Amino acid sequence: MIDFFTAHAPVLAIVFFIFGALTAPVLGKINNSLSYYCALITTALSFVLSVYLLVSVYNNGPLEYFLGGWKPPYGIEYRADILNSFILSVVSFVSLLSIIYGYGSIKAEIHEKRRPAFYSVYLLFIGGMMGILITNDIFNMYVFLEITSLAGYALIAMGRTRYSYMASFNYLILGSIGATFFLIGIGYLYMQTGTLNLTDLAQRLQGHFDTNVVLVAIAFIIVGLMLKMAVFPLHFWLPDAYTYSPSVISAAMAGTSTKVAAYLLIRLMYTIFGIQAGFSGINFSGIIIVISSITILAGSIIAISQTDLKRMLAFSSIGQIGYVLIGTAMVNKYAFAGGLLHILNHAMMKTALFMVAGGFFYKLTSTKINNLKGMGRQMPFTSTMFLILSLSMVGIPLTVGFISKWYIVLGAAQSGNWIVVPVILLSSLLTAVYFGRVINTLFFKESEPSGAENLPVKMPYSMIGSTAVLVFLCVFFGVFAYLPAEISLKAAESIIGAMPWK
Amino acid sequence: MIEFIADKYNFWIAIVLMMIGFYAIIAKHNLVKKVIGLNIFQTSVFLFYISISKVNGGTAPIIWHPEEHAKVVYDNPLPHVLILTAIVVSVSVTAVALGIIVKLYKNYGSIEDDEIKIRELKEPELDSK
C-alpha cells in the first residue's frame, strides 16, 4: 500500500483533489458537514504527500513520472524537482490551514445549501495549482491554469456582497485574456519546435532564439503570465477579487494563486528561455527587474491611501509579488533563494493577515479601517497577531520578512544590481507607513460607540488556531531560518546551475 | 505584396478576428457583448492553431484503408487535439461568465457595467443574497 503511494506520488497529488472534488457534493447530499471533512482529509493527505515528495527529492534528486508509461517526447511527463516540490508544499500547507480556518468562517459567510459545491470548487482550485506545479508539459500547464482560474472565478462570486459577482466577472475577462495570450505563446513555441515537453523544448530551442517566432512567443507568454500574477500595470482584477471574496478564499488565494503564476514564469524563464543569456541583444533580466521595481513601489504607494483593510492587503500583495519576481530575475544564487523564500514567507504572512481581517469581519461584519478603532482592547489576541505580522511584513529582524529581504539584498549586491537595494529599503518604509496607520487605529484610538463592540461574538477556535499557527511559524522560521533557506539555496543552485547553454 | 498577403490569409484572418474581439472586450459596456468579444478573441487563437497544423496536400488525419492509402499525406493531428481541449475551456469560461451575468442582472437589474458601478456607489453594501 505504502509502495503504491510512493511510486505514484507525483500524479496522486492531483488525483486526490479531482477525486475529492467529485466526492464532496455527493457526501453533501447525505450530510452537510461530511463534505467539509472530505475537503479537510483531501488537503491533509496532499500536504503529507507533498512533504514526502520534498524530502524524497531533497535526498535523491528529481523524480520523473510518465503518465501511462509513455516516454517524454510523445507522452505527458510529471516531474518533481526541488523547486516545484518546495512550492507544492507551501501551496498544500496554506490550503490545509485555510480549510481548517474555514470551519468557523464558512459557517458565517456561506449559505448552507451552497457549502458542498463550495468545497468541491475549492478542491478543484487547489488541485489545478498542484497540477501547474508538478507537470513538465507546457500545454498541461495551460489546462491546469484554466482549471484553477475557472474555480477561482466561482469562489470569488460566492462572497457576501453583491459586488462579488462584478469582481468575479472582471477577473474572468482579464484572466481569460492572460490565459489566451499564454496559449498563443505555446502555439508559437510548438510552431518552432514541434514539442510540448519542457526539457525537450529547452534542447530544441537552442540556436533558434534569434527567430521572430520565439521572440513573439516569449512576449506573449510573459505578458499573459504577468496578467495572471498581477504585476503593476496589469493588476486591475486583483484588489476587487481579494476584497469581495469570502475570508477563506482571500486567505487561500493571497497565499497561493499569484505565486503559482510566478512559479510558471520562473520555470519558463530559466528552463526554456534562458534569461541569463540575454539573447538577441535583449536584456530580459534588466527589463523584469525594472518592471518589478515599479510593481513593488506602486503597490506599496497605492496601499497607503486605502480605507478598507482587505483592499489595503490586496495592494500590498501586488507589491510583494514584485519581491518574488525581482529576486528570481537577478541571475544570482542568493537573490533567487530570496525570491523563493519570499514565496513561502509571503504565503504565511499574507494568508495570516487575511485570516486576521476575516476575524475582524466575523466580529464587525465590516473591514473598513475606521471601524477598527479600539479593537486592540476588544480582540487583544487577534490584534497582537496583526501587530507581529505587520512587523514581519516590514521586515524587522527575527521575523520571516527580514530573511527573504536579506537574501534579495545580498544577491543584488553580489550581482551588481544596486538599484534594487534602495527600492527594497524604500518599500519597507512605505510598508511601515500603511501598516502603522492600521496599528495606530487598532491600539491607540478610542472606540466610538457603534453598537457592534459589545456584541457577544467570539471568534471560533478553528479561526484563531490556524492563524496562530501561521503567526508562530512566521516567528519560528524568522529565528531558525536554516531549514527553508537551505532548501531554497539548493533549489537556486539546481535551477541556475542546470543551464546547458551557460 | 499581394501574394504575401494571399499566401498567409488564414493568419491575417486570425489577427483581424483577434483585434475585433479585443476591441469588443475593451470598448463595450454591455457585459454580454464583452463575453461575445472574449469568444471571438479565443476563436482567433483556435484558427491560428488549426493553420499551423496544415501540411501542404495533406488530408484529415483519419485512417480508412491502410493498404490502399499507404502514401496519403496527413495533417498534423496534435494541434487539433490541443485546440479541442482549448475549445472546451473556452466553452466553460463562457458558461461561467453567462452564469455570473444572470446573477448580476438579478441583483442590479442591469447588465451595463457603468450602470452597475453607479448603482453600487448609490446604495453600497446591500446584502441581497
Side-chain angles (χ1 to χ4, degrees), chain A residues 47-305:
Chain A
F47 175 60
V48 173
L49 203 68
S50 5
V51 170
Y52 161 75
L53 269 177
L54 181 61
V55 172
S56 148
V57 165
Y58 187 80
N59 291 329
N60 308 326
L63 210 78
E64 285 167 339
Y65 184 88
F66 306 129
L67 283 188
W70 290 81
K71 288 271 175 336
Y74 309 108
I76 293 166
E77 180 196 11
Y78 282 6
R79 183 187 162 90
D81 64 3
I82 192 151
L83 172 66
N84 62 15
S85 56
F86 175 64
I87 304 175
L88 210 60
S89 310
V90 175
V91 167
S92 55
F93 179 63
V94 167
S95 64
L96 175 62
L97 275 183
S98 301
I99 199 81
I100 293 172
Y101 175 87
Y103 185 75
S105 84
I106 289 170
K107 274 186 181 158
E109 289 183 28
I110 290 169
H111 191 270
E112 196 173 346
K113 271 200 306 198
R114 292 169 153 211
R115 272 179 227 156
F118 174 85
Y119 296 124
S120 172
V121 179
Y122 180 81
L123 289 177
L124 269 184
F125 176 67
I126 306 293
M129 284 190 289
M130 305 294 259
I132 295 174
L133 289 168
I134 208 154
T135 183
N136 200 29
D137 183 279
I138 195 166
F139 196 78
N140 240 304
M141 284 176 167
Y142 164 74
V143 175
F144 279 120
L145 190 69
E146 279 290 28
I147 291 177
T148 309
S149 310
L150 275 168
Y153 310 145
L155 290 173
I156 291 166
M158 285 186 187
R160 258 180 104 252
T161 57
R162 59 176 185 171
Y163 200 72
S164 311
Y165 290 119
M166 201 59 211
S168 166
F169 187 82
N170 287 335
Y171 182 22
L172 186 145
I173 294 287
L174 287 174
S176 301
I177 292 174
T180 309
F181 275 5
F182 187 49
L183 184 65
I184 301 169
I186 294 170
Y188 279 114
L189 285 181
Y190 183 77
M191 214 166 152
Q192 181 70 41
T193 60
T195 181
L196 294 166
N197 186 280
L198 283 189
T199 325
D200 209 23
L201 257 177
Q203 285 166 4
R204 293 201 199 183
L205 271 179
Q206 283 180 62
H208 296 287
F209 282 120
D210 290 334
T211 54
N212 288 339
V213 179
V214 178
L215 280 179
V216 171
I218 293 169
F220 269 121
I221 287 179
I222 287 184
V223 172
L225 288 179
M226 280 187 170
L227 232 169
K228 281 280 179 194
M229 60 192 277
V231 167
F232 170 59
L234 309 169
H235 69 278
F236 289 99
W237 58 269
L238 188 140
D240 275 356
Y242 283 14
T243 311
Y244 294 102
S245 55
S247 312
V248 202
I249 297 310
S250 331
M253 268 199 166
T256 54
S257 69
T258 49
K259 282 161 203 71
V260 170
Y263 159 81
L264 208 47
L265 190 56
I266 293 166
R267 174 57 93 194
L268 297 179
M269 280 193 313
Y270 278 93
T271 309
I272 62 177
F273 297 151
I275 175 178
Q276 64 262 63
F279 49 85
S280 320
I282 300 172
N283 182 3
F284 269 99
S285 167
I287 293 172
I288 294 177
I289 288 173
V290 170
I291 292 175
S292 40
S293 300
I294 296 171
T295 306
I296 292 173
L297 293 178
S300 309
I301 290 169
I302 303 172
I304 292 176
S305 64

Side-chain angles (χ1 to χ4, degrees), chain B:
Chain B
M1 186 64 194
I2 296 291
E3 268 176 21
F4 175 70
I5 295 174
D7 228 29
K8 299 186 161 54
Y9 69 96
N10 38 10
F11 291 100
W12 290 111
I13 293 173
I15 292 169
V16 169
L17 278 181
M18 181 181 276
M19 290 304 119
I20 291 172
F22 220 28
Y23 170 78
I25 295 170
I26 295 166
K28 296 291 171 189
H29 287 298
N30 189 314
L31 298 183
V32 175
K33 285 183 184 167
K34 269 182 199 270
V35 173
I36 293 170
L38 191 67
N39 257 316
I40 297 173
F41 180 66
Q42 288 175 326
T43 310
S44 72
V45 181
F46 306 158
L47 186 62
F48 163 70
Y49 263 78
I50 301 300
S51 303
I52 64 175
S53 73
K54 183 68 187 165
V55 175
N56 275 343
T59 174
I62 305 165
I63 297 176
W64 295 309
H65 303 291
E67 60 282 353
E68 283 175 41
H69 301 272
K71 284 183 183 168
V72 173
V73 179
Y74 291 122
D75 291 339
N76 185 357
L78 188 60
H80 291 90
V81 179
L82 297 183
I83 221 58
L84 196 60
T85 315
I87 288 170
V88 173
V89 167
S90 150
V91 169
S92 336
V93 168
T94 313
V96 173
L98 292 176
I100 292 171
I101 291 172
V102 169
K103 283 289 188 182
L104 276 171
Y105 186 73
K106 272 186 187 159
N107 280 323
Y108 289 94
S110 167
I111 51 168
E112 304 281 328
D113 66 351
D114 42 356
E115 190 86 354
I116 288 173
K117 268 183 194 120
I118 291 167
R119 285 190 197 183
E120 184 62 27
L121 285 175
K122 270 184 192 162
E123 33 193 301
E125 293 290 321
L126 262 181
D127 204 359
S128 54
K129 279 188 188 175

